[in-house]
Amino acid sequence: FSVLAARYQIAFATTKKRPVAHADTLGPRLAELCAAHGVEFLGSVDANSEEMVARAKMTDLLVICGYDGILKSPVLDAPKHGVLNTHLGMLPLNRGCCPTLWAQLHGMPQG
């Protein structure tokens, strides 16, 4: 986080769209990290909402890490330089929860 904040202005951060048991500490930990670095933390959001599309239009790059929803064209087209989406699995082969586990079980490539 510090490396990014030293070189770039981080406009805001969010967490998963829906709370999930395996990531129940993610929100509070991310909120604490954001507070320590002066970054607005929005909590759980619908990335496709009009508010988030409007926020994305004011950014240069949107970085998505582990979001649990399908991003639609309006939010994908909004940032000046596009969207960087990270995922643990090779999409669309290993989408969804625990993609690394399913890839290993089925002998498929991992992300």
Side-chain angles (χ1 to χ4, degrees):
F1 202 92
S2 297
V3 172
L4 289 175
R7 295 189 63 187
Y8 305 99
Q9 179 183 1
I10 303 172
F12 58 88
T14 68
T15 188
K16 294 186 173 291
K17 182 177 176 180
R18 294 174 296 275
V20 290
H22 68 275
D24 62 348
T25 62
L26 176 65
R29 289 176 32 219
L30 186 55
E32 186 178 304
L33 183 65
C34 287
H37 292 279
V39 173
E40 183 181 11
F41 178 67
L42 303 177
S44 296
V45 300
D46 176 358
N48 297 301
S49 70
E50 288 183 23
E51 177 190 356
M52 294 310 298
V53 171
R55 283 178 172 266
K57 286 180 180 178
M58 296 185 295
T59 65
D60 290 332
L61 178 67
L62 187 62
V63 180
I64 306 289
C65 306
Y67 187 69
D68 57 339
I70 295 174
L71 302 173
K72 297 181 180 172
S73 293
V75 75
L76 292 173
D77 296 337
K80 182 179 179 180
H81 298 295
V83 176
L84 175 63
N85 183 29
T86 64
H87 193 271
L88 294 175
M90 299 292 289
L91 295 173
L93 297 174
N94 298 321
R95 62 182 185 260
C97 190
C98 304
T100 303
L101 170 68
W102 291 110
Q104 291 173 347
L105 287 173
H106 295 286
M108 301 170 81
Q110 297 177 47

